[in-house]
Amino acid sequence: MVEGPRLDTNSPQAVEDAPIGPRKRNGSPAKRQRPAIEPGKKDKLGRAAKKERNSPPWVAELRSWVLTLAIAVLIVFGMHVFVFNLSTVKGQSMEPTLYESEWLFINKFAFLTGSPSIGDVVILKDPAEGEGRKEFLVKRIVGLPGDTIEIREGQLYRNGQLVVESYTDTEIEDLDYGPDKINADHYFVMGDNRHAKASRDSRSFHAVPRSSIIGRADLIIWPIARLNHL
């Protein structure tokens, strides 16, 4: 067996010949280079940045106010469409509960998550109007889907039972009605004013579909002296 020369690591020569510093790894990845920016594009970016720095302070403040106002308008519009609305009373069909020119807070969200109930004061599309018209009525729900409504001798009966209506100030002065069974997903509405020919309601256009009911009137908000929950 042939032995080669031995390297004594304790000798000065061995220390002197040893490589100094970290070893280089073979095949190490090359450094990534940033993508070059075209001269024309670089000039445009430089001019835009310079223009931004040279703009007076009021421009940035105005931009901030415009952005804030736009966001606020979008929020209010969304709430107006899906959450609430304000409506003005016209006519006398809901007296003595509501009077001409009173302002109502209309809760639209209530019927997005639930269904109308007996006694609710609601805003609905006028069934007598065409598709292009947007007239609305304010009435009270007195009959639910499946109920049988009858008006006899000035009194309202629901499913054969006399309905005591504390919100009216007189008996029903119009002609008798029914009995009429309400279809599925329909509601029978009447005005609180029970004097003769004072209210155009389900006695003339029958029960209204659920889709025509816009929202529930929860509050009288104007005038302040009439502020009240309905």
Side-chain angles (χ1 to χ4, degrees):
M1 184 174 185
V2 180
E3 294 183 0
R6 294 185 178 181
L7 180 61
D8 186 357
T9 57
N10 292 323
S11 67
Q13 183 66 28
V15 174
E16 183 178 348
D17 293 341
I20 299 174
R23 296 182 179 177
K24 295 183 178 180
R25 296 181 179 179
N26 293 331
S28 58
K31 293 183 178 179
R32 295 182 179 177
Q33 296 182 353
R34 296 181 179 178
I37 301 177
E38 298 177 4
K41 189 174 183 181
K42 187 175 181 180
D43 292 342
K44 290 181 180 179
L45 293 175
R47 287 195 299 268
K50 185 176 180 181
K51 186 177 180 181
E52 183 72 19
R53 289 195 299 269
N54 294 336
S55 298
W58 65 266
V59 173
E61 185 174 355
L62 178 61
R63 187 182 297 113
S64 176
W65 274 103
V66 170
L67 179 60
T68 301
L69 181 61
I71 294 174
V73 168
L74 289 176
I75 292 174
V76 171
F77 178 77
M79 294 183 67
H80 177 78
V81 172
F82 299 106
V83 181
F84 75 91
N85 196 2
L86 300 180
S87 182
T88 305
V89 178
K90 295 181 180 180
Q92 296 80 37
S93 69
M94 282 297 291
E95 294 180 4
T97 305
L98 302 175
Y99 290 88
E100 181 91 25
S101 300
E102 289 182 341
W103 283 57
L104 306 177
F105 177 88
I106 309 303
N107 183 350
K108 293 184 176 181
F109 186 75
F111 295 154
L112 292 178
T113 58
S115 299
S117 302
I118 292 292
D120 285 349
V121 177
V122 299
I123 304 298
L124 61 135
K125 297 176 183 177
D126 189 344
E129 298 295 342
E131 292 294 330
R133 299 290 299 276
K134 292 186 177 180
E135 297 295 329
F136 299 94
L137 304 176
V138 54
K139 303 295 175 184
R140 188 183 297 273
I141 292 179
V142 298
L144 301 178
D147 286 344
T148 298
I149 297 297
E150 183 179 8
I151 297 172
R152 184 174 69 249
E153 297 179 356
Q155 302 294 331
L156 173 65
Y157 293 85
R158 183 170 55 244
N159 300 324
Q161 301 293 321
L162 176 65
V163 179
V164 178
E165 300 179 288
S166 58
Y167 41 80
T168 63
D169 58 2
T170 184
E171 293 184 350
I172 301 172
E173 297 178 353
D174 290 302
L175 300 175
D176 291 352
Y177 177 90
D180 182 17
K181 186 172 183 178
I182 304 172
N183 293 331
D185 204 35
H186 283 65
Y187 296 83
F188 199 96
V189 298
M190 293 181 65
D192 288 355
N193 190 339
R194 301 301 168 78
H195 292 282
K197 300 181 180 179
S199 174
R200 185 169 59 87
D201 47 40
S202 289
R203 290 172 291 177
S204 60
F205 49 68
H206 301 289
V208 296
R210 169 69 180 81
S211 59
S212 69
I213 299 176
I214 305 301
R216 184 180 67 202
D218 282 351
L219 293 169
I220 302 172
I221 62 174
W222 187 263
I224 296 299
R226 289 277 298 167
L227 182 65
N228 191 27
H229 185 274
L230 296 173

